[in-house]
Amino acid sequence: MNFNLFDLFTQRKDASFAYDLDLIGGQQTQVYLKQYALNTCASFLARTVSQSEFKTKNVALYYKLNVRPNYNQTATSFWQELIFKLITDNEVLVVQDDTGDLLIADSYVHNVKAVYPDTFSGVVVNDYQFQRVFGMDDVWFIKYNNDNLTTYTNQLLSDYANLFSRMISFAMRNKQLRATVDFSGVTSFDSQTPKDDVNGNKKENPAQKFIDKLFSAFRDNDIAIVPLQKGIKYDEVSSQYSGADQAFSDITAARKEAVDSVAEILGIPPALIHGAQAEVDQNQQELLNFCIAPLNQKIEDELNAKAVSQSSYDQDKVTVWGLNKPDPFSKQKRLIRSQRSVS
């Protein structure tokens, strides 16, 4: 026996099957502006800090910090992951295994103590969970301490996300296939009004339920397929729609505004993220003074406190040289520019 899909639409004499049938169409993908903006700024800082050099006279420590922290990562990949996690999670934990490899923890439990050193249990790295408990002196634990980032972005970017979703919705409805469905040939809405159930609860009108599904399909999908049967009249009204198309530049602008908001919280001049060439020197200096330098100082302090002993501090202390690395030609360049401006 051959089965024909359209037989289902013609053999049934009542409209109840159409009310229960889900309309065909995919769900619109949710766009999260907060995650996009935060990831963009965190990646920018991660790439910047990963270019730093960790200066120390301790040869073994220098190799770990600048060449190969562990078997599976180079120094650049290690520091990119560390900075990215520090910015997005507001803290990062680095542990050392039995072979001396430096590993960035994916998850852990921070056990805060009052008069004793804190401990870390349940440390997981790449699906491997350490069974031992790490003391504060055995790990590198860096906190970004930027609670304003979490609070501000949660409040501000939720508004951006709503605005962005509305823009997407408007764009999807531009020149969308639209239609009307007439049920007069089947039955009226009044006759389809259901009675209360045995518990006295109101039952949903099946016709209204179908209309709600129809509306959702037109709202969320660029094309919606509606099942029909005898007595249901379907008319397209797309040609009657008139209105200006929603400019995709508005969507791009909303996304840019979200990135700018997070960048300003982190101390990053937004022009540097977007590649603007105006006032590059000034923006780079602001990035160094208000973002990179404090971040490098946090890392430097933690390394000196945990990776260098007190007795060898003067000899082996770590200094982070990033964008603030001394440039022997910088003074000469500034002198030449000043002489040209005078002449």
Side-chain angles (χ1 to χ4, degrees):
M1 176 178 180
N2 295 329
F3 176 76
N4 190 339
L5 177 64
F6 292 97
D7 291 341
L8 177 64
F9 299 156
T10 56
Q11 292 176 2
R12 291 285 298 274
K13 301 304 181 183
D14 62 305
S16 61
F17 84 96
Y19 300 149
D20 295 332
L21 184 63
D22 289 335
L23 302 184
I24 302 172
Q27 293 294 328
Q28 174 184 336
T29 302
Q30 181 72 24
V31 179
Y32 296 97
L33 280 185
K34 173 187 174 182
Q35 199 63 43
Y36 171 82
L38 189 58
N39 287 353
T40 299
C41 296
S43 297
F44 177 83
L45 288 182
R47 293 192 302 269
T48 303
V49 176
S50 66
Q51 301 176 46
S52 302
E53 181 182 6
F54 299 84
K55 303 287 291 186
T56 178
K57 294 181 180 179
N58 186 321
V59 178
L61 180 59
Y62 182 91
Y63 183 82
K64 284 290 184 184
L65 297 178
N66 295 281
V67 182
R68 194 177 184 185
N70 56 65
Y71 285 127
N72 298 315
Q73 287 182 302
T74 62
T76 300
S77 299
F78 175 85
W79 288 109
Q80 280 187 350
E81 180 183 349
L82 185 146
I83 297 300
F84 185 87
K85 195 170 186 63
L86 175 61
I87 300 301
T88 55
D89 294 349
N90 208 28
E91 62 185 35
V92 65
L93 177 70
V94 178
V95 299
Q96 194 171 28
D97 64 7
D98 295 334
T99 63
D101 280 357
L102 302 175
L103 305 172
I104 300 173
D106 295 319
S107 62
Y108 51 87
V109 177
H110 184 187
N111 307 302
V112 181
K113 308 292 184 179
V115 295
Y116 295 100
D118 292 356
T119 60
F120 299 88
S121 58
V123 177
V124 177
V125 179
N126 293 335
D127 297 330
Y128 174 79
Q129 181 171 343
F130 287 89
Q131 299 302 315
R132 67 175 183 266
V133 176
F134 294 88
M136 181 61 79
D137 292 337
D138 303 324
V139 301
W140 300 350
F141 183 64
I142 306 173
K143 288 184 67 69
Y144 191 54
N145 291 328
N146 194 342
D147 294 333
N148 289 334
L149 176 64
T150 302
T151 303
Y152 189 73
T153 54
N154 283 341
Q155 295 175 351
L156 177 66
L157 295 182
S158 63
D159 297 334
Y160 278 131
N162 292 333
L163 177 62
F164 191 79
S165 297
R166 289 179 63 85
M167 289 180 176
I168 290 291
S169 179
F170 291 153
M172 291 180 64
R173 289 201 296 268
N174 286 335
K175 298 182 180 179
Q176 179 191 50
L177 180 62
R178 301 182 181 185
T180 59
V181 180
D182 184 3
F183 288 90
S184 58
V186 179
T187 182
S188 66
F189 281 171
D190 293 337
S191 64
Q192 285 289 315
T193 302
K195 298 180 179 180
D196 298 345
D197 60 16
V198 293
N199 297 322
N201 298 321
K202 295 288 185 181
K203 291 184 178 180
E204 186 178 5
N205 189 312
Q208 184 61 47
K209 183 178 179 181
F210 178 80
I211 293 298
D212 292 341
K213 291 181 180 181
L214 190 65
F215 173 77
S216 298
F218 288 154
R219 179 192 60 195
D220 299 333
N221 306 311
D222 53 353
I223 297 178
I225 301 176
V226 182
L228 300 178
Q229 69 167 11
K230 292 181 179 179
I232 296 180
K233 183 179 180 182
Y234 174 85
D235 293 321
E236 293 187 10
V237 294
S238 300
S239 59
Q240 301 175 13
Y241 171 75
S242 62
D245 290 344
Q246 174 69 34
F248 280 95
S249 59
D250 293 342
I251 300 176
T252 303
R255 190 170 61 176
K256 179 179 179 296
E257 288 294 331
V259 173
D260 291 350
S261 299
V262 177
E264 291 173 358
I265 296 173
L266 296 174
I268 306 172
L272 293 180
I273 294 183
H274 301 305
Q277 297 299 319
E279 301 178 350
V280 174
D281 292 340
Q282 180 181 348
N283 288 332
Q284 287 181 344
Q285 192 61 42
E286 291 182 1
L287 174 67
L288 171 61
N289 293 338
F290 302 112
C291 183
I292 301 300
L295 192 57
N296 282 346
Q297 189 63 52
K298 284 180 176 289
I299 299 174
E300 185 176 305
D301 291 345
E302 185 69 10
L303 294 180
N304 284 321
K306 304 293 182 60
V308 181
S309 63
Q310 182 178 356
S311 59
S312 62
Y313 176 77
D314 291 338
Q315 179 70 20
D316 298 335
K317 66 179 180 180
V318 178
T319 304
V320 182
W321 284 9
L323 293 180
N324 59 337
K325 184 177 181 179
D327 183 3
F329 301 102
S330 60
K331 292 183 178 180
Q332 183 177 0
K333 292 178 181 178
R334 287 195 296 268
L335 178 60
I336 295 175
R337 285 198 297 266
S338 63
Q339 289 176 346
R340 288 178 178 176
S341 61
V342 171
S343 59

